[in-house]
Each structure stands twice: as structure tokens, then as C-alpha cells.
Amino acid sequence: MPIYGYQCKKCGESFQTLVRSGEEPVCPSCGGADLEQQLSLIASPAKGGESDAPACSNAGAGAGCATCPGAAMFG
């Protein structure tokens, strides 16, 4: 079940919601159903400075991602 971003055309509220199969999302602010789906970026692990996420300082140390300072961002 994917999470989609929407903007309500009635009140302008921007929000994200979990969309289950067969359900039509509504604005949590005004209850409007006239929504515009927003483009969103997918999250991906950091690769050599391509992201704002901190690089793992424990790479190769055998400690794993649980001790990585950036683990909280992706956990």
C-alpha cells in the first residue's frame, strides 16, 4: 500500500496518505475529494554524497547499520 502526496483543490491543504486498493482519498482538513496528486521523490540509500543523508562511518567495520549515525533516518 503506497503513500501518496496530494493537494486539495478546495482548501489548498497538502498532505500525504496511505492509499488502499479501491479507496479514494479525501482531504483531512476539509473532507474534499477534488485532489491533485503530487509528484514525490523516492528514498534511496546514500551513495557517495549524492544525498543529504550522512554517509556511514562504520562501513567495513562489521558493525552494521544499527550503529550508523544515519540509521535513524532510514530505520
Side-chain angles (χ1 to χ4, degrees):
M1 292 176 276
I3 296 177
Y4 291 106
Y6 293 94
Q7 182 168 19
C8 179
K9 291 182 180 181
K10 182 177 178 183
C11 72
E13 176 80 15
S14 292
F15 63 96
Q16 293 181 345
T17 188
L18 178 71
V19 179
R20 292 185 170 99
S21 180
E23 289 185 2
E24 292 293 323
V26 295
C27 176
S29 183
C30 72
D34 191 11
L35 307 173
E36 182 176 316
Q37 189 172 352
Q38 303 293 297
L39 293 177
S40 62
L41 301 175
I42 58 171
S44 64
K47 291 183 180 179
E50 294 178 11
S51 170
D52 289 337
C56 183
S57 60
N58 294 329
C65 287
T67 59
C68 179
M73 295 178 69
F74 300 106

